[in-house]
Amino acid sequence: PGNIFIRRLPNGLPELVLIDHGLYVYMSDKFRHEYGVFWKALMTFDNKKIAEITQEWGIKAADLFASATLLRPYEGGEQQLQKEMLGALDDQKTASQRHYEMQQRMKQGIRDVLADEDKWPKELIFIGRNMRIVQGNNAYMGSPVNRIKMMGEWASRSLFEDRNLPLRQRMVNIWEHLVFKAVLFLSDVAFWFFRLKQLLGRGGGMEDEVEARLKTVAKEFGVELQHDVFEG
């Protein structure tokens, strides 16, 4: 069924076969390392490192890109775009004027994300769509896993498993990874809070809460998110 089936090999072992699995892209070691550092910085609110990575990728709107990566509002940055959006809410303007100004500023924010297309890693297009599908699948299944924690943990883990780094740097990354895992405990607390609410019938899972918050913020910016566009 679908794009997957299992067949028996001559030695009797099963083999998973992917059919028509579409486009895929190979990531360079440089980008793989930068993406791991970026995700770890997102989880630890390391805004300086986020700014360094996004600048390397030709992105100006670091906060907006961070939110797009997490698929939830990023609350650790300067919130410059959101402040500009709120500044457009002048009581002396009509509703249509405020809506127009917010849309224009949002469009400018998107332009800032694509500020330097020559430096913008094309891998991000594939990764972004993939992460949206993963989020949708997790939400559809009732948010059984803490998606954001898993991404952050594997990003941190990749930094000390990277054999291209000097041994000393890898040892430092091991220590930082242990500290990072302790920090991730807070993410677990949030995940199990929403999970308990879901089991008690008091609300949806963590992905449902994330989706609701993301739609609320997007609506404030004059953007309507269509979730089904990213399904499949």
Side-chain angles (χ1 to χ4, degrees), residues 202-216:
R202 298 294 183 87
M206 188 174 183
E207 295 288 9
D208 297 315
E209 296 290 337
V210 168
E211 183 75 13
R213 288 187 60 195
L214 192 60
K215 284 186 175 181
T216 299

Side-chain angles (χ1 to χ4, degrees), residues 77-137:
E78 298 179 355
Q79 307 293 320
Q80 184 62 35
L81 180 61
Q82 190 167 353
K83 290 176 182 177
E84 291 179 359
M85 292 291 185
L86 294 175
L89 299 178
D90 189 343
D91 294 336
Q92 297 180 354
K93 299 176 182 177
T94 65
S96 59
Q97 287 176 327
R98 291 196 298 269
H99 183 73
Y100 174 77
E101 286 196 17
M102 290 177 69
Q103 282 192 328
Q104 291 303 307
R105 296 188 186 191
M106 186 61 183
K107 288 179 180 178
Q108 183 58 48
I110 295 175
R111 292 191 191 100
D112 288 341
V113 170
L114 302 172
D116 190 341
E117 295 185 26
D118 292 332
K119 297 171 66 177
W120 211 82
K122 303 304 184 290
E123 296 95 329
L124 291 174
I125 300 173
F126 290 83
I127 293 176
R129 172 166 170 76
N130 176 265
M131 291 305 301
R132 184 62 171 166
I133 293 173
V134 169
Q135 183 208 23
N137 290 339

Side-chain angles (χ1 to χ4, degrees), residues 41-58:
L42 289 177
M43 300 295 292
T44 56
F45 296 143
D46 188 347
N47 297 317
K48 181 179 179 181
K49 184 61 67 174
I50 291 174
E52 289 177 3
I53 297 295
T54 52
Q55 185 176 9
E56 178 71 20
W57 291 345

Side-chain angles (χ1 to χ4, degrees), residues 67 70-76 79 82 135 148 190 194 205-221 223 225:
S67 297
L70 289 170
L71 297 175
R72 73 176 189 188
Y74 176 66
E75 299 174 347
Q79 307 293 320
Q82 190 167 353
Q135 183 208 23
I148 295 175
F194 290 118
M206 188 174 183
E207 295 288 9
D208 297 315
E209 296 290 337
V210 168
E211 183 75 13
R213 288 187 60 195
L214 192 60
K215 284 186 175 181
T216 299
V217 173
K219 193 171 184 179
E220 291 176 357
F221 291 167
V223 177
L225 291 182

Side-chain angles (χ1 to χ4, degrees), residues 131-196:
M131 291 305 301
R132 184 62 171 166
I133 293 173
V134 169
Q135 183 208 23
N137 290 339
N138 194 33
Y140 180 77
M141 298 299 292
S143 304
V145 298
N146 188 344
R147 169 184 58 86
I148 295 175
K149 177 199 170 184
M150 291 177 65
M151 281 295 299
E153 184 171 0
W154 277 98
S156 177
R157 182 174 175 176
S158 70
L159 297 179
F160 73 79
E161 291 184 345
D162 187 354
R163 297 184 179 181
N164 294 321
L165 295 177
L167 179 60
R168 182 177 179 180
Q169 183 61 52
R170 291 178 64 185
M171 296 302 294
V172 171
N173 289 343
I174 289 176
W175 168 249
E176 291 181 348
H177 178 68
L178 295 175
V179 175
F180 180 69
K181 285 180 69 69
V183 174
L184 285 182
F185 175 74
L186 297 176
S187 177
D188 270 335
V189 171
F191 172 76
W192 286 110
F193 171 75
F194 290 118
R195 187 64 170 165
L196 181 60

